[in-house]
Amino acid sequence: MKTTSFIKKNKNKFMGTTPIILIVLVFIFSTNFMISAIRTYNYSHLEDESYRLTKSYSNNLETAIDAREITTNLMEERIKAVAIAVANMGLNDDFNNLTELADTFNVDNIYLYSSNREIIQSSDGNFIGWKVPDEHPINNFLTSGETFFVEDVRADTESGILFKYGYYRLSDGRFLQIGVLAEKVLIFLNTFEIQMLIEKIFEEESILNASFFNREGIIISSSEGDHIGSRVESKEIQTAIEENSENSFITEYMGENAFQVLIPVSIEGELEGTLSIIHSLKSTNDTINDFIFIGAVALTIIFSLLIIFNVVTYRNNSRLEKMAYYDTLTGLPNRESLVYELKEIIKLNKNNILLLLININDFKSINMTYGYEYGDSILRIISKKLNSLYSEKHRLFRFSSDRFVMLIDNPNKVEEVEEDIVEIVDILEREFFTQGQKRTVEINMGIVRIDGTYKKPDEIIRDATIAVSYVDGRNYLTHAFYDKAMLNKIRREETIESEIIGSLVDPRTEKLFLVYQPIIDTRSKKTVGFEALARLKTDAFGYVSPTEFIEITERRHLINRLGEWIFQSSLLFLKQLEYEGYEGMKISVNISGVQLMDSSFRSKIMDRIISSRINPKNVNLEVTESVLFDNYEFVNKTLRMLRDDGITISLDDFGTGYSSFARLRELNIDCIKLDKTFINNIGEVMDENLLSGDIISLSHRLGLKVVAEGVENLGQVMYLEKKNCDMLQGYYFSKPLLIDDAIQFLRKQQ
């Protein structure tokens, strides 16, 4: 066998000294990367811990907010009690004792207003004669109609001092204003919130310092009391405060390595300052060093094993090459070998090379029927035959499970290649005997001429596969040379297939539809039935010949779905005729061989008929001679059971296939359809030389009815009448019609 160039080149890749230096460099890089990764992970963990501490601060804020609400409520209750007491006690001397009452109840201010909103008495002697402006907050009380009213803490409009004010309306229109100084309480609450945070954070074992800076960079709270009130000097901290951003960095604190995290703190959406947390790195660095030691040991072991592995790989070089580039079953170069070889051909711009893709038809059925071990033995025999005959002059590959590839360099003439192809087919299609079983296989081939137009191996393989697909299903071909027209045909078939599938999924597209050609009783000239004929109109190609699209459905395994749709649609048409009053009409439907070979075909047909409430006697199935005789025993048995169910059977295109009158006696049929080729001769040759009359006569003797297809003129009608043909069908009476036209046709006959 020729040794392909890629094997030699790949040997060079594995030859030579093992790249120890490269492994060492990778080892150093991996070690550094591991150390960096460990440090990054641990520092990230510290940052996460800082976020956790910030959440604890949020919990403190919630506690402080609760405390503020409670304090506020207590203050309101106190103000209310004082207001009522002052009102009761002050009335005795017309409120001349407000100063004494303020001291008694420990409130900061008591003002008595006239009904004209003017201060007429004051506990501190201030603001007498002051009158409430129109937009002043006191107006909220005056307009509320409430006897008692308490405001939120606010700054006094005259002094600017924070007070919590309450108001009490007297019966004569005057009212009291009670004020409690609130500034000290608020300062206490704010201090409470920040200090709680610092205390809670500093409880953590690894924390060296916790501080809180206000927006000006002044430390307002710290775990180190002597730091409070000082301004920060660190640029990192100043930047974090100015940009309101998180930051973290390694620093030194009190002679110890530390990790400092800066986190902005907001209360109710408003920035309050920046929280600084300094973590000790002693424990973290100890952990990092432990991980680094363990990782270094692990990496040393891993890279030592890699060196050993490279040595072993070098020693097993040839065995690995064979596994990678040769098929273990046949010993031939495999798909990888072929792809590499095609790359070299394209790279070197080699021309005049033929690629033969040899396909074993229906190889899956061999595996399914006889087992995979038997299938493997067939493949070994085929590869051995090809190798013994062609390995010296051609290159052979096993491409896939049931396909081989042969590369032919510089073929002199097409005739020589044709001779090789004929020889290959002849040799491979001979009977095999293996494992006690005799078997033949069917071969077809796709051939591609490799020239300078190809850029990738996949393009060459694709075109060879297209050529094989072109041969597949065309029994008269064993091989085909790829050309662009073939690709266009494949694309056309795929488009038509797609249109058919779309129509079967959604019949509302009406791209796939049925027409119905009348079948006429010869004597009465009345319509006795219709033949259902499928039509297809695509977006891309317009109307497509039934011969073409039905052949496509058979090769693309869609014929069963199409056949079921045709049969169901035909029954609906027959049902519509019954609704129109045309009972007793027959519908004839063409059936493919694939449908008849389906073991469930009979039950499907009868289920459809029964569910449609159609009389089986009004259903006629048409089968061709080729379908009947390809699988004679099975098909004939199926036809007998269908006849037992009441369905009639017609043999379509009689006279074009294998039928003989001796064989007709055995067939389970009721009628033959005389092919158009016999009808065309009527009027063209002497009557005594026509076979049509003899066929009709012999069919009647066998108890069969006869339908003449393709009747196009009066002369043919008259001849067939004279020969007692039972039924006529053709353009002389009507072309195939749409449903509405078919019903109109029947009405005209009436």
Side-chain angles (χ1 to χ4, degrees), residues 553-682:
T553 59
E554 288 178 341
R555 285 194 284 108
R556 302 293 177 108
H557 308 292
L558 293 172
I559 191 65
N560 272 333
R561 290 178 62 185
L562 176 63
E564 289 178 9
W565 176 81
I566 291 173
F567 189 75
Q568 179 64 23
S569 299
S570 299
L571 293 182
L572 291 175
F573 170 69
L574 193 60
K575 199 68 181 176
Q576 187 170 350
L577 291 183
E578 290 182 1
Y579 289 149
E580 295 287 339
Y582 301 105
E583 297 184 1
M585 286 286 173
K586 272 185 173 289
I587 189 70
S588 293
V589 182
N590 292 280
I591 302 299
S592 72
V594 176
Q595 289 176 277
L596 281 170
M597 291 304 295
D598 183 357
S599 59
S600 63
F601 173 72
R602 177 196 174 201
S603 62
K604 289 179 181 177
I605 288 291
M606 290 308 300
D607 287 344
R608 296 284 190 186
I609 291 174
I610 292 170
S611 63
S612 301
R613 297 183 179 180
I614 297 290
N615 188 338
K617 293 182 179 180
N618 293 334
V619 177
N620 178 65
L621 301 182
E622 297 187 8
V623 296
T624 61
E625 293 182 70
S626 59
V627 168
L628 186 56
F629 291 105
D630 282 347
N631 300 279
Y632 177 75
E633 291 185 4
F634 182 85
V635 172
N636 203 32
K637 180 181 178 181
T638 301
L639 296 181
R640 178 180 59 78
M641 291 188 290
L642 289 168
R643 292 182 72 201
D644 291 343
D645 293 328
I647 297 171
T648 59
I649 309 296
S650 294
L651 184 62
D652 199 13
D653 301 331
F654 179 78
T656 60
Y658 318 98
S659 301
S660 67
F661 280 99
R663 198 68 180 271
L664 284 178
R665 294 180 182 275
E666 304 170 7
L667 299 180
N668 287 297
I669 60 174
D670 302 279
C671 177
I672 65 169
K673 298 194 77 171
L674 198 58
D675 189 69
K676 187 177 185 297
T677 55
F678 292 100
I679 308 303
N680 289 341
N681 291 329
I682 298 174

Side-chain angles (χ1 to χ4, degrees), residues 179-194:
V180 177
L181 193 63
E183 193 170 32
K184 293 179 181 179
V185 176
L186 293 177
I187 292 172
F188 169 74
L189 289 175
N190 288 336
T191 305
F192 173 79
E193 293 168 1
I194 297 172

Side-chain angles (χ1 to χ4, degrees), residues 1 6 325-327 331-335 337 396-399:
M1 180 188 293
F6 80 91
Y325 295 101
Y326 284 87
D327 176 50
L332 293 175
N334 60 12
R335 181 191 179 103
S337 303
L396 295 171
F397 304 83
R398 187 187 178 197
F399 177 68

Side-chain angles (χ1 to χ4, degrees), residues 58 148 163 200 253 324 346 391 417 426 541 564 735:
S58 298
F148 179 74
F163 278 93
K200 200 164 188 178
Y253 184 77
I346 294 170
S391 63
V417 177
D426 180 60
F541 310 117
E564 289 178 9
K735 67 178 182 179

